[in-house]
Amino acid sequence: LEYMMRCLDLLNSLFVAELPQVMGEATASLEAISGRKHPSSTQAKQLKLHVPLLPVMLHLATSQVFRPRIVTEQFMSGIGTLLTHLQGLDSGTTSMESALGPTAMEDLMHVVLS
């Protein structure tokens, strides 16, 4: 039982440690297309790789186990940056539909605003 608890604790620590990287890569991908209507093929590839991982952030932030460990100043700053990118997507100055499909913006809004 002690071994299993230690394994679970290590797995939880891994999730917490990886979240800043997931958020950072998604934010960098969105930053690269900021102000663009049509992302380049490289940018589209980066979006397809990183943005679909953002629901992990939502699941961890809504978890009673993970929330106290992930909600930090860095996390809140990342949320602010994502909100800035959502504003550009919502206003139409930036588009990612060509890379991620027609529901991409709605999906991203759901994840960030939930």
Side-chain angles (χ1 to χ4, degrees):
L1 184 63
E2 185 178 326
Y3 175 76
M4 288 177 55
M5 293 301 292
R6 180 67 181 143
C7 289
L8 184 59
D9 186 48
L10 289 172
L11 183 61
N12 289 346
S13 295
L14 177 67
F15 288 147
V16 170
E18 289 298 315
L19 185 61
Q21 182 178 348
V22 169
M23 286 182 69
E25 290 171 343
T27 301
S29 297
L30 291 168
E31 183 69 37
I33 65 159
S34 183
R36 295 188 62 147
K37 296 275 186 184
H38 304 284
S40 70
S41 60
T42 302
Q43 291 167 332
K45 183 178 177 182
Q46 292 299 309
L47 286 170
K48 288 177 186 176
L49 183 63
H50 300 298
V51 172
L53 295 176
L54 282 176
V56 171
M57 174 193 72
L58 174 61
H59 292 298
L60 294 178
T62 57
S63 164
Q64 291 179 351
V65 173
F66 289 103
R67 187 180 315 120
R69 295 177 67 186
I70 66 161
V71 178
T72 63
E73 187 175 330
Q74 179 185 10
F75 178 83
M76 296 307 292
S77 176
I79 294 292
T81 303
L82 289 171
L83 287 170
T84 301
H85 290 297
L86 280 181
Q87 184 178 17
L89 291 164
D90 191 43
S91 69
T93 59
T94 301
S95 176
M96 64 179 183
E97 280 82 14
S98 63
L100 297 176
T103 63
M105 186 179 78
E106 292 174 15
D107 295 343
L108 182 59
M109 283 187 160
H110 170 74
V111 167
V112 175
L113 297 175
S114 290

